[in-house]
Amino acid sequence: MPKQIPWWAGGIAMSLLFYFSFSIWGADRSIGASTGMAYISTMLFGLDSSHYEYTKEIESSGAWEALMLLGVFFGGLFTSLFITKSFHISLIPTLWKERKNKSVPSRMFWSFIGGFLLVFGARLAGGCNAGHVLSGGSQMAISGFIFTILALGTGMLVGRVFYKKKKACDV
Amino acid sequence: MFDIIAKEEHGSILTILVIGFFFGAIILYSRLDKFEKMAGFLLFEDTLAIRMAMTTVGLSSIGFYFLVANGYASFDVKPTLLGGLIIGAVLFGTGLVILGKCPAAFFVSVSEGRIDALVGVIGGMVGGAVFTYFYPYIQKIMEPNFGKIRLPDFFTEYGMVITVVFGVLLLVGAYLLPSLEYKDPADFKNSKD
């Protein structure tokens, strides 16, 4: 088995999954992930729907996505153990070592901040890469277009400031 | 959680788990869960993420159009809440380049044994809780709400033409983008071949 599928195969597989989920034969809704994240967090922190307005608002969509995320975890685990055989405990990504630093506490600190910003930002915007960029873009939603341009644009700008420049010899 | 899902008509527990399973498997098999792919794209080191996303949206937009036109699906679009969208997208983009994976992909990363992704998930849990707690105050900056608008809404008679042109442009764009690939030595450490 190959260790990785090329971009076009990934894109085709992903859109077939999207057709299934979107149609009445599947779930009759599009795929999203960040509402599920918020839902899991309201369960963990005990923010129940009788006291918190937001929990009440996202409950039905959040429960669906939380269950889907459970599937996502096992789908990833299965593939990394049996297909790509890439499962191994790791702390710092290679590119981070190259462009930022080799410090574990630094990577962990920034991972926490990054994760916080991702979910907090996604909740403000009402979706993430899955809900806005992929599902929103596929339905030509104006909200999806605005999100995609701003999120990727900001990422590119922040990336230039946050990370070290590429070594001259690599260019 | 399960009682809520059972009340909705969005597939059985098993269907939803299977959708998630394949979603996770595709993300991992295309290596989209890796920092080098997502942050790598924003740092112009790798183009897999953007080419794959353009292919997915290009094919899905055309497919979705015909599914809806034939009554096999219905559009479920998120509202354009401009204030929330702008601030949220900027915070999200910042988080995306720092953590280097998006919600969903970071679960896949955890399933591959990446501890930094697990810390990111914990950060996300705290982020979700803080948002829920302060929602009554945050809500005010999320306005104005333009409703659930789609691009073809402005050109209602040309819905099909716009969809097909949009989809084809994305597919051609994905094909024309250069193949940049960041080769991660860590990927080949454990393999014997």
Side-chain angles (χ1 to χ4, degrees):
Chain A
M1 289 281 249
K3 292 226 171 270
Q4 184 185 340
I5 47 172
W7 60 270
W8 53 267
I12 291 170
M14 194 70 98
S15 57
L16 291 176
L17 178 70
F18 273 36
Y19 293 162
F20 177 71
S21 175
F22 189 64
S23 74
I24 50 173
W25 304 295
D28 196 15
R29 60 157 284 168
S30 52
I31 287 180
S34 62
T35 317
M37 270 301 291
Y39 182 78
I40 299 172
S41 114
T42 61
M43 287 204 298
L44 283 179
F45 288 91
L47 307 171
D48 61 282
S49 56
S50 50
H51 293 91
Y52 293 91
E53 196 188 339
Y54 191 65
T55 311
K56 202 174 168 184
E57 263 181 47
I58 61 162
E59 217 169 27
S60 62
S61 176
W64 190 96
E65 292 184 11
L67 183 66
M68 189 207 75
L69 286 174
L70 188 70
V72 164
F73 179 82
F74 286 107
L77 188 64
F78 177 85
T79 313
S80 75
L81 284 176
F82 302 114
I83 299 180
T84 62
K85 299 190 174 67
S86 55
F87 182 91
H88 65 286
I89 300 295
S90 66
L91 294 167
I92 311 175
T94 313
L95 186 59
W96 176 280
K97 286 182 196 159
E98 193 182 301
R99 299 283 288 268
K100 189 70 184 172
N101 56 42
K102 294 187 170 66
S103 149
V104 174
S106 160
R107 174 61 187 156
M108 293 308 156
F109 170 77
W110 285 112
S111 291
F112 184 89
I113 301 286
F116 182 97
L117 288 173
L118 274 173
V119 177
F120 191 86
R123 291 300 78 223
L124 253 179
C128 58
N129 277 3
H132 266 322
V133 179
L134 298 179
S135 296
S138 301
Q139 301 181 62
M140 296 207 265
I142 302 295
S143 50
F145 293 148
I146 298 177
F147 182 85
T148 307
I149 294 166
L150 281 176
L152 298 185
T154 308
M156 286 169 182
L157 285 175
V158 173
R160 285 186 77 97
V161 183
F162 186 77
Y163 293 100
K164 282 181 260 185
K165 285 214 169 62
K166 209 171 177 173
K167 282 187 212 96
C169 56
D170 292 343
V171 180
Chain B
M1 181 168 129
F2 295 101
D3 50 315
I4 299 172
I5 297 166
K7 263 182 264 166
E8 302 272 311
E9 293 192 354
H10 289 299
S12 65
I13 304 280
L14 184 68
T15 310
I16 302 168
L17 279 173
V18 169
I19 290 173
F21 186 91
F22 280 100
F23 194 38
I26 296 168
I27 291 174
L28 194 121
Y29 209 4
S30 54
R31 313 307 290 134
L32 210 57
D33 66 306
K34 280 169 66 76
F35 180 87
E36 286 75 14
K37 298 294 173 199
M38 206 54 239
F41 157 60
L42 297 170
L43 295 169
F44 306 103
E45 297 257 15
D46 198 295
T47 49
L48 176 124
I50 188 69
R51 295 177 96 187
M52 185 169 151
M54 285 167 82
T55 311
T56 305
V57 175
L59 290 173
S60 298
S61 56
I62 298 173
F64 281 16
Y65 180 88
F66 288 104
L67 281 173
V68 173
N70 292 298
Y72 296 120
S74 42
F75 285 119
D76 99 71
V77 176
K78 292 172 189 292
T80 299
L81 275 156
L82 202 58
L85 256 181
I86 294 175
I87 305 169
V90 167
L91 296 178
F92 183 89
T94 309
L96 190 62
V97 76
I98 294 176
L99 182 63
K101 29 210 121 195
C102 41
F106 57 26
F107 274 103
V108 180
S109 259
V110 175
S111 79
E112 203 183 19
R114 300 182 190 276
I115 307 297
D116 56 330
L118 180 64
V119 175
V121 170
I122 298 169
M125 293 293 171
V126 177
V130 169
F131 184 87
T132 307
Y133 194 79
F134 290 104
Y135 182 61
Y137 311 98
I138 298 171
Q139 219 177 357
K140 294 180 188 111
I141 56 165
M142 289 166 73
E143 301 286 322
N145 188 348
F146 290 96
K148 301 183 172 184
I149 37 175
R150 299 174 54 242
L151 180 65
D153 291 347
F154 300 101
F155 319 89
T156 36
E157 283 165 52
Y158 306 99
M160 192 172 90
V161 181
I162 291 172
T163 309
V164 172
V165 170
F166 173 79
V168 170
L169 279 179
L170 280 178
L171 291 175
V172 172
Y175 179 75
L176 291 178
L177 274 177
S179 251
L180 286 178
E181 198 186 349
Y182 182 86
K183 297 259 186 219
D184 184 356
D187 283 349
F188 306 101
K189 214 162 43 184
N190 295 340
S191 63
K192 292 173 189 94
D193 42 45

